[in-house]
Amino acid sequence: GGFGYGHRHGKGLSMMGGGGSKITKKINFPAHLSLPLSDGRKCDYVLTGVIVHVGNSATSGHYTAYVKKPGCSNQWYHM
């Protein structure tokens, strides 16, 4: 299995106010990201892994990960 091309999406956890709740909306993020530095340079990042929370709430469940196989454009391992 794995992810398709283009934008990745996920769900997250909100830890505001000392408690925790699961965010149920999808969050899109790119496979390639370029962030500016304060000195005018930029840092380029390529998505190589995603951590996934599996569970009904922020206080229960477990984490798994999808990791991209080095040298492959679209082959991912689920761990």
Side-chain angles (χ1 to χ4, degrees), residues 34-37 39-44:
S34 183
L35 297 176
L37 299 175
D39 63 3
R41 295 178 300 145
K42 64 178 183 171
C43 278
D44 294 323

Side-chain angles (χ1 to χ4, degrees), residues 25-78:
K25 71 176 188 172
K26 290 183 179 182
I27 302 168
N28 290 313
F29 49 94
H32 299 275
L33 184 63
S34 183
L35 297 176
L37 299 175
S38 60
D39 63 3
R41 295 178 300 145
K42 64 178 183 171
C43 278
D44 294 323
Y45 296 91
V46 176
L47 184 67
T48 58
V50 177
I51 298 172
V52 179
H53 178 261
V54 180
N56 293 327
S57 73
T59 58
S60 67
H62 63 277
Y63 292 89
T64 63
Y66 289 91
V67 180
K68 186 177 179 183
K69 181 178 179 180
C72 291
S73 63
N74 202 34
Q75 187 170 354
W76 293 77
Y77 295 107
H78 184 206

